[in-house]
Amino acid sequence: FSSLTESLVEEFIDALHRKTAWIPTVPRVLAFDRDPKDEPWINLAIAAQATFLVSRDSDGVRLRKIAPNLQILDPVQFLREVRKREIH
């Protein structure tokens, strides 16, 4: 991303910060035995009713049943989706 400047990164992080929510207790909705390190993040995304979960691991077959509105995107896909939504 040659056009990615420090200023743009700061603006992006500030915009994300304005949309954050504090969730002090995350219920264990999904046991993710295949990758237990990912389990807390997946359960947090479900608890937050997130639209996106940014991960390089796209195994989301079980997630679709539990959180049908949650899309698992890699970082580049996520940035493209955010950019597309900013334009519209």
Side-chain angles (χ1 to χ4, degrees), residues 7 23 39 43 52 63 66 70 81:
S7 175
I23 301 177
E39 183 179 308
N43 282 309
F52 303 110
L63 279 178
I66 296 168
L70 181 63
E81 185 66 29

Side-chain angles (χ1 to χ4, degrees), residues 1-79:
F1 295 108
S2 60
S3 62
L4 196 61
T5 64
E6 188 172 330
S7 175
L8 284 173
V9 170
E10 287 178 16
E11 284 180 42
F12 178 71
I13 291 172
D14 287 343
L16 285 178
H17 189 262
R18 287 189 298 272
K19 294 183 181 264
T20 60
W22 176 253
I23 301 177
T25 305
V26 177
R28 187 175 188 210
V29 176
L30 177 70
F32 205 58
D33 299 329
R34 187 188 67 75
D35 194 347
K37 292 181 295 180
D38 286 348
E39 183 179 308
W41 301 110
I42 293 167
N43 282 309
L44 178 60
I46 293 168
Q49 297 178 340
T51 305
F52 303 110
L53 177 62
V54 181
S55 174
R56 293 193 189 280
D57 183 357
S58 62
D59 179 28
V61 174
R62 288 178 59 199
L63 279 178
R64 286 188 196 107
K65 294 178 183 174
I66 296 168
N69 296 325
L70 181 63
Q71 294 180 51
I72 300 174
L73 303 176
D74 69 36
V76 173
Q77 291 171 320
F78 174 70
L79 291 173

